[in-house]
């Protein structure tokens, strides 16, 4: 089984070492991927532990657990990154997490801020906050067909009697 983060390796090799604390994320994007994987496998303790310590007590553990358990996770797409590399102290990761909830496809599109903190065991990446990105409206490629116009399929029928029925 490939890791839920989409890198292609198994969870045990990819995000598992981050989840168990044996190998901290070296970049903000790695932390983002491991947090997504934690939601997929229901490891909410990891999600909470990788929040900024100053805001960790504000995490709604119950809501995160419900979202994790009730969703069928479909994949993660990293859209863009700004800084957040091994030598940086801050970074931004824009991502889209796709999932099914209540039988309907959904997506969570966010620009997340990450920073490095030192809690005694050396510096490590943590999630600070995020800004949810609004979905862009889909532009119609062709003009709207009126009910009484010929159906664009070429049947010769009015749209309302053909594909508009």
């Amino acid at each position: 089984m490939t890791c839920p983060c989409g890198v292609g390796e198994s969870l045990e090799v990819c995000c598992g070492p981050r989840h168990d604390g044996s190998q901290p994320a070296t970049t903000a994007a790695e932390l983002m991927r491991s947090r997504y994987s934690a939601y997929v496998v229901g490891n909410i303790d990891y999600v909470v532990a990788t929040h900024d310590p100053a805001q960790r007590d504000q995490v709604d553990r119950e809501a995160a657990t419900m979202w994790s358990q009730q969703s069928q996770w479909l994949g993660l797409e990293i859209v863009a990154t700004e800084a957040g590399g091994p030598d940086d102290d801050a970074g931004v990761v824009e991502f889209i997490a796709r999932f099914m909830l209540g039988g309907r496809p959904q997506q969570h599109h966010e620009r997340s801020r990450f920073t490095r903190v030192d809690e005694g065991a050396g510096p490590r990446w943590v999630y600070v906050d995020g800004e949810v990105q609004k979905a862009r409206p889909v532009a119609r490629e062709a003009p709207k067909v009126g009910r009484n116009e010929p159906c664009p399929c070429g049947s010769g029928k009015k749209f309302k009697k053909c594909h508009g029925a």
Side-chain angles (χ1 to χ4, degrees):
M1 178 179 154
T2 59
C3 187
C5 79
V7 169
E9 301 173 37
S10 70
L11 178 65
E12 292 75 26
V13 172
C14 188
C15 290
R18 287 164 191 62
H19 293 177
D20 68 20
S22 64
Q23 183 182 9
T26 58
T27 66
E30 276 184 10
L31 181 62
M32 179 63 245
R33 289 185 180 283
S34 67
R35 285 173 55 87
Y36 172 82
S37 292
Y39 274 106
V40 173
V41 299
N43 187 348
I44 303 307
D45 288 340
Y46 179 78
V47 173
V48 172
T50 56
H51 255 72
D52 183 355
Q55 302 170 356
R56 201 171 286 154
D57 62 339
Q58 298 172 18
V59 176
D60 187 341
R61 183 184 292 269
E62 186 177 329
T65 300
M66 287 180 58
W67 188 36
S68 169
Q69 293 172 349
Q70 294 176 357
S71 298
Q72 177 189 353
W73 299 94
L74 304 175
L76 175 69
E77 175 187 351
I78 302 294
V79 176
T81 59
E82 297 170 15
D87 298 324
D88 296 318
D89 290 326
V92 175
V93 179
E94 182 177 348
F95 70 92
I96 300 172
R98 292 183 172 80
F99 58 99
M100 297 280 284
L101 186 60
R104 294 190 172 171
Q106 312 260 340
Q107 69 178 26
H108 179 79
H109 186 175
E110 181 177 311
R111 281 180 54 86
S112 298
R113 290 188 318 128
F114 295 87
T115 191
R116 278 191 198 257
V117 296
D118 192 345
E119 293 184 288
R124 65 185 188 95
W125 286 102
V126 294
Y127 170 85
V128 176
D129 61 19
E131 180 181 314
V132 175
Q133 304 296 295
K134 302 253 189 245
R136 297 182 188 124
V138 177
R140 193 180 299 268
E141 292 181 17
K144 186 175 178 179
V145 178
R147 292 178 32 85
N148 289 316
E149 294 179 27
C151 189
C153 76
S155 68
K157 297 179 182 178
K158 288 184 179 183
F159 179 70
K160 68 182 179 186
K161 296 286 185 180
C162 192
H163 283 91

